[in-house]
């Protein structure tokens, strides 16, 4: 059997021991919680060192801006947080659209009667 299950997996952001995939990326619990807490206020995060901070297990708390950037670089996506709501919204909209289209088709086909006698097949 492959020994893949026992291999230590490292957080893609800080290198700490990863606990699994969180928001599309393999991360530790710390970075998972950090991302969930921080991503919504990401616009207010500014790195004092032009985004050049090292993000590792020991220093990951020093600069939330760089840590968040590394989260995003690792493939973490904030849309996962709202996915349930977004999906529900999309479904509701789709149902609405389908209902509208169905009613449009019904009215158009009932009001406009394409009569084969008046149609000009050659032209
Ligand atoms: Zn981490
Ligand atoms: Zn930084």
């Amino acid at each position: 059997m492959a020994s893949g299950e026992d291999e230590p997996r490292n957080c893609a952001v800080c290198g700490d021991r990863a606990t699994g995939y969180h928001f599309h990326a393999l991360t530790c619990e710390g970075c998972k919680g950090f991302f969930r807490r921080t991503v919504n206020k990401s616009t207010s995060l500014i790195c004092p060192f032009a985004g050049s901070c090292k993000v590792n297990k020991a220093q990951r708390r020093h600069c939330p801006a760089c840590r968040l950037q590394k989260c995003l670089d690792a493939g973490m996506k904030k849309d996962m947080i709202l996915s349930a709501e977004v999906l529900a919204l999309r479904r509701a909209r789709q149902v609405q659209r389908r209902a509208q289209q169905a009613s449009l088709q019904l009215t158009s086909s009932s009001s406009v009667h394409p009569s084969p006698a008046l149609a000009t097949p050659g032209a």
Side-chain angles (χ1 to χ4, degrees), residues 72-113:
L72 296 170
D73 288 346
M76 293 177 89
K77 282 182 185 148
K78 61 180 170 184
D79 60 295
M80 286 298 286
I81 296 168
L82 296 171
S83 61
E85 285 178 42
V86 170
L87 273 177
L89 258 176
R90 279 186 195 159
R91 271 178 204 155
R93 277 182 198 158
Q94 269 189 350
V95 169
Q96 272 187 349
R97 257 183 231 154
R98 269 178 208 161
Q100 280 177 352
Q101 282 175 352
S103 65
L104 277 176
Q105 279 170 359
L106 274 178
T107 51
S108 64
S109 64
S110 60
S111 60
V112 179
H113 289 283

Side-chain angles (χ1 to χ4, degrees), residues 47-49 51-53 63 65-66:
C47 173
F49 301 105
S52 61
C53 304
C63 182
C66 287

